[in-house]
Amino acid sequence: MQTDIAIKVSLGSIRDVFETIDDCLHVEHFSAADPNISLAKLTRGNGNRAITTSLGSGVGTFVVAARDSELRLEQKGRVLFQGLMIEDSVTFVEGPDPIAVELQSDACLYVLTFLREPYWRPCSVVGGRFNIRDIRLAELVGEISESSPARRSELTRDFSRMAFERYRSLPRVHPLSAWRLGRVRRYAESRLDQRMSLEELADVAGFSRAHFAATFKAATSMSAHEFLLRMRIQAAARLLICTDLALVEIALQTGFQNQPHFTTVFKRITAITPRKWRESRRSAAMVSSLEHVVDAAAVIEHLPGEPEGYLPHDLH
């Protein structure tokens, strides 16, 4: 069941603040000497339902994925992005209207907003947004969060300048529209246990193979091959938490050839084996459940009558 939680990311916080919302969502605010800059970090873990957050508005907002994060971005009812935002990718959204972000799985995002002061913009932005992948940018935003308030103000401008320079160097390709991307995603989700070719996905989008490949990467910062790979890992992660299926069964259900192949790819993307990942997440969930039991006991004990108690040769 989906739970909507309205979170207004504090703009221009005067000090560093850390808060926990609904147990599985953590928000960190980082103070900056410049009141026109807002930086926050959203971390969502050990959750099994979607959470919707409302980000503050400004003249331009960068969203940086510190790890693979499945999400949906909307602005004024228009879907800007839906799907997997790959680790080290940077999405820019222009305009003063608030941005709704639905976190559909575990996620870790940095949100950098320029409130009033113009950001570095050497060229126009297609559709008011872009999505690129750059490890240096991801490292820089992490460095910003660990710096002093004065240093943060300086580094945010460096980040903005670098991001637009990186964008300007890309081929001028209009990104695949959100509705076409959604159609491709739904098609792929329904066939994760089957082989899928680039031609097949291009046909779903209504484009030629070459045009689809270029527009898809412009929209998601990754190839369709990488998109499918990470979709399979996301689906496998959900099965690891929510079911007791054996690893070999999960591997086959999510389109991997065998368990060793699944383990190799899973570890490459998450830096941990599926078995250890399942154990760590279930242990964390158990601790959380026990904490809830302890908290509830203080109330329940006073109530009368309560009992004691890589992949094949195509895109598959």
Side-chain angles (χ1 to χ4, degrees), residues 244-260:
D244 293 318
L245 290 174
L247 295 185
V248 63
E249 294 180 76
I250 292 177
L252 296 176
Q253 284 193 25
T254 52
F256 292 94
Q257 293 174 304
N258 48 54
Q259 182 181 330

Side-chain angles (χ1 to χ4, degrees), residues 134-169:
D134 192 292
I135 295 176
R136 175 57 188 142
L137 285 173
E139 291 175 342
L140 181 56
V141 79
E143 182 181 344
I144 294 171
S145 67
E146 297 172 357
S147 301
S148 66
R151 180 63 174 155
R152 284 173 186 159
S153 299
E154 178 182 347
L155 290 175
T156 51
R157 288 177 177 80
D158 291 341
F159 176 91
S160 178
R161 183 179 297 105
M162 287 177 61
F164 278 97
E165 287 176 352
R166 173 75 172 87
Y167 168 74
R168 185 172 55 178
S169 69

Side-chain angles (χ1 to χ4, degrees), residues 43 92 100 138 214 226 229 251 265-266 272:
T43 306
F92 173 77
E226 186 75 1
L229 179 64
V265 175
F266 192 97
I272 190 173

Side-chain angles (χ1 to χ4, degrees), residues 17-214:
V17 177
F18 178 84
E19 56 183 323
T20 299
I21 301 171
D22 194 40
D23 299 318
C24 64
L25 183 63
H26 307 283
V27 181
E28 295 178 71
H29 308 283
F30 303 98
S31 63
D34 187 340
N36 293 316
I37 294 172
S38 168
L39 177 64
K41 181 180 181 181
L42 278 62
T43 306
R44 185 264 173 94
N46 297 321
N48 56 8
R49 62 185 186 277
I51 294 179
T52 300
T53 75
S54 178
L55 305 181
S57 59
V59 295
T61 298
F62 292 94
V63 181
V64 185
R67 67 167 181 253
D68 285 8
S69 302
E70 194 173 0
L71 53 87
R72 175 186 175 98
L73 287 176
E74 285 189 11
Q75 189 179 47
K76 294 186 67 176
R78 181 167 66 102
V79 178
L80 302 176
F81 178 86
Q82 181 169 1
L84 192 64
M85 189 171 173
I86 200 169
E87 181 181 1
D88 299 330
S89 62
V90 180
T91 292
F92 173 77
V93 181
E94 187 177 35
D97 299 295
I99 304 165
V101 180
E102 182 184 87
L103 303 176
Q104 300 167 334
S105 68
D106 290 2
C108 186
L109 306 171
Y110 285 97
V111 181
L112 173 60
T113 300
F114 289 81
L115 307 181
R116 288 174 291 276
E117 196 168 284
Y119 46 83
W120 182 266
R121 184 172 54 177
C123 59
S124 60
V125 179
V126 177
R129 67 181 180 90
F130 63 72
N131 190 313
I132 58 179
R133 189 182 186 196
D134 192 292
I135 295 176
R136 175 57 188 142
L137 285 173
E139 291 175 342
L140 181 56
V141 79
E143 182 181 344
I144 294 171
S145 67
E146 297 172 357
S147 301
S148 66
R151 180 63 174 155
R152 284 173 186 159
S153 299
E154 178 182 347
L155 290 175
T156 51
R157 288 177 177 80
D158 291 341
F159 176 91
S160 178
R161 183 179 297 105
M162 287 177 61
F164 278 97
E165 287 176 352
R166 173 75 172 87
Y167 168 74
R168 185 172 55 178
S169 69
L170 296 175
R172 296 274 67 85
V173 177
H174 196 93
L176 190 67
S177 64
W179 73 268
R180 290 182 190 271
L181 183 59
R183 176 191 286 181
V184 171
R185 177 182 172 80
R186 289 190 296 272
Y187 180 87
E189 283 178 333
S190 67
R191 294 165 175 79
L192 280 183
D193 61 338
Q194 304 173 31
R195 290 176 179 268
M196 282 177 275
S197 67
L198 184 60
E199 289 82 359
E200 185 178 354
L201 296 183
D203 186 62
V204 172
F207 288 138
S208 68
R209 181 181 185 274
H211 186 64
F212 170 73

Side-chain angles (χ1 to χ4, degrees), residues 201-232:
L201 296 183
D203 186 62
V204 172
F207 288 138
S208 68
R209 181 181 185 274
H211 186 64
F212 170 73
T215 58
F216 187 93
K217 190 165 186 177
T220 65
S221 78
M222 57 181 152
S223 67
H225 174 88
E226 186 75 1
F227 166 79
L228 284 178
L229 179 64
R230 291 176 182 264
M231 276 189 67
R232 296 183 197 282

